[in-house]
Amino acid sequence: MGNRVVLALGGNALGDDLASQMEAVKQTSKAIADLIEAGNEVVIAHGNGPQVGMINNAFTEYGKIDPKYPYMPLSMCVAMSQAYIGYDLQNALREELRNRGIKKTVTSVITQVVVDEKDPAFQNPTKPIGPFMNEVEAEEATKRGMVVKEDSGRGYRRVVASPKPVRIVEIDTIKAILDAGQVVIACGGGGIPVVEEGNHLRGVGAVIDKDFASCVMAKQVDADNFIVLTAVEKVAIKFGTPEQEWLSSMNIEEANVHIGNNEFAPGSMLPKVEAAMEFAESKEGRKSLITSLEKAQEGLEGKTGTWITAK
């Protein structure tokens, strides 16, 4: 029997629009099916950058045509993206598994992720989302309670916070599906950000980093391995220079040295490495892997990728 594995799919695994997404998930499903066929229990998380942007922009434009149409909260846009990405991905993966004689159900869970309302990120929103606005539109958006900032002379854009995830609300459902021997897709787009108000969960206008949310989920399902999938086969230092070096492994101490030397780009490789580190040091025996989708199975076999361990 293989390991319990949480996969964090990068944006390149899903395409940028409806047509490319339907094609991309077919190839993505082949790589995931390889892991399942090898006997691993698999939980799949994914990004939603292009998709949630498309949904948000569509509702924004419709609001200009019909001012009576209500503004669509970002939390609901995330929920919509989880559903339609999950729909494509679960069907493609189910088909691939059945083609291999593997009869497992694949289920997408609309996933909420608790964040701390006092997270410092809410005091300084920096994540741009939605279309550019002129001054009048920016003023109207501000009246609706949005934070709007001027963007390098190109116009105004809404910015939202990116708070750290605290816990996964639907974790018991995710565990139950796993324990039944089935495949689950969860925490799409980093999850729907919510804050707790007694027994009530209130959606907030924020974006949770997909890799950090996937890390929290990996810890909560007691995964053996957390795999962060990206466009490259291994992590590199001195990237893009003649001294570029591909890394096969890093422990926490070594990773912190590289971070201190600014080896990993913020908003790109840095959060992936930090999430992988967080999982690796969360419990004895846990290991993280950063590699490409196509090399995931080879990575688990120790043939490629960058492994991150506590020591």
Side-chain angles (χ1 to χ4, degrees), residues 170-250:
E170 289 77 18
I171 196 65
D172 289 338
T173 301
I174 294 166
K175 286 179 179 178
I177 296 171
L178 264 181
D179 291 342
Q182 308 306 315
V183 184
V184 60
I185 301 167
C187 281
I192 304 162
V194 296
V195 295
E196 295 178 307
E197 297 176 341
N199 289 329
H200 177 66
L201 296 173
R202 175 172 58 84
V204 292
V207 173
I208 302 172
D209 183 273
K210 170 261 302 176
D211 296 314
F212 284 115
S214 302
C215 171
V216 170
M217 182 166 64
K219 290 189 289 185
Q220 287 196 265
V221 301
D222 197 22
D224 300 294
N225 300 127
F226 172 46
I227 305 180
V228 182
L229 299 173
T230 185
V232 293
E233 189 172 332
K234 293 184 178 183
V235 177
I237 56 174
K238 297 179 173 36
F239 186 74
T241 71
E243 292 79 34
Q244 178 174 298
E245 178 185 350
W246 297 106
L247 304 176
S248 295
S249 64
M250 286 188 288

Side-chain angles (χ1 to χ4, degrees), residues 93-111:
L93 182 53
R94 174 185 179 275
E95 180 178 346
E96 180 63 30
L97 291 173
R98 292 200 167 225
N99 287 342
R100 301 184 187 203
I102 302 170
K103 292 189 176 180
K104 288 179 179 285
T105 59
V106 185
T107 304
S108 298
V109 177
I110 303 301
T111 316

Side-chain angles (χ1 to χ4, degrees), residues 8-306:
L9 295 178
N12 58 318
L14 298 172
D16 293 326
D17 53 40
L18 290 173
S20 64
Q21 176 175 299
M22 292 186 71
E23 187 58 37
V25 295
K26 292 179 183 178
Q27 300 307 314
T28 296
S29 294
K30 287 181 170 61
I32 298 173
D34 287 342
L35 297 174
I36 296 170
E37 192 169 30
N40 297 292
E41 294 181 312
V42 175
V43 185
I44 304 153
H46 60 79
N48 72 341
Q51 294 86 354
V52 78
M54 180 180 67
I55 293 168
N56 180 74
N57 291 354
F59 279 108
T60 299
E61 290 304 310
Y62 189 78
K64 294 177 183 178
I65 298 170
D66 184 357
K68 294 182 293 183
Y69 196 84
Y71 159 71
M72 186 59 65
L74 183 56
S75 56
M76 291 187 180
C77 293
V78 174
M80 291 179 192
S81 72
Q82 285 187 355
Y84 96 76
I85 293 171
Y87 164 65
D88 270 353
L89 184 54
Q90 72 184 34
N91 280 350
L93 182 53
R94 174 185 179 275
E95 180 178 346
E96 180 63 30
L97 291 173
R98 292 200 167 225
N99 287 342
R100 301 184 187 203
I102 302 170
K103 292 189 176 180
K104 288 179 179 285
T105 59
V106 185
T107 304
S108 298
V109 177
I110 303 301
T111 316
Q112 301 172 97
V113 176
V114 174
V115 298
D116 185 353
E117 197 167 18
K118 296 180 181 178
D119 190 303
F122 285 110
Q123 304 305 314
N124 182 34
T126 57
K127 185 78 172 177
I129 186 167
F132 284 98
M133 297 177 275
N134 59 36
E135 194 168 348
V136 174
E137 291 170 333
E139 188 175 332
E140 181 61 32
T142 302
K143 289 178 182 178
R144 289 182 176 180
M146 301 181 199
V147 178
V148 177
K149 293 185 179 181
E150 200 278 328
D151 191 333
S152 306
R154 297 182 294 174
Y156 298 85
R157 285 190 84 185
R158 180 188 181 190
V159 290
V160 298
S162 185
K164 287 293 181 70
V166 175
R167 64 179 180 85
I168 314 301
V169 175
E170 289 77 18
I171 196 65
D172 289 338
T173 301
I174 294 166
K175 286 179 179 178
I177 296 171
L178 264 181
D179 291 342
Q182 308 306 315
V183 184
V184 60
I185 301 167
C187 281
I192 304 162
V194 296
V195 295
E196 295 178 307
E197 297 176 341
N199 289 329
H200 177 66
L201 296 173
R202 175 172 58 84
V204 292
V207 173
I208 302 172
D209 183 273
K210 170 261 302 176
D211 296 314
F212 284 115
S214 302
C215 171
V216 170
M217 182 166 64
K219 290 189 289 185
Q220 287 196 265
V221 301
D222 197 22
D224 300 294
N225 300 127
F226 172 46
I227 305 180
V228 182
L229 299 173
T230 185
V232 293
E233 189 172 332
K234 293 184 178 183
V235 177
I237 56 174
K238 297 179 173 36
F239 186 74
T241 71
E243 292 79 34
Q244 178 174 298
E245 178 185 350
W246 297 106
L247 304 176
S248 295
S249 64
M250 286 188 288
N251 60 33
I252 299 300
E253 183 179 355
E254 291 167 338
N256 277 321
V257 170
H258 295 319
I259 290 172
N261 292 334
N262 298 314
E263 292 287 1
F264 310 128
S268 179
M269 187 56 76
L270 179 60
K272 299 181 189 306
V273 171
E274 289 178 331
M277 292 168 63
E278 183 180 324
F279 178 76
E281 62 182 348
S282 63
K283 185 178 178 180
E284 186 176 353
R286 287 177 173 171
K287 298 191 297 181
S288 299
L289 173 66
I290 300 177
T291 190
S292 65
L293 174 67
E294 298 76 16
K295 297 292 184 178
Q297 179 59 35
E298 289 183 44
L300 270 184
E301 294 170 354
K303 297 176 181 177
T304 190
T306 303

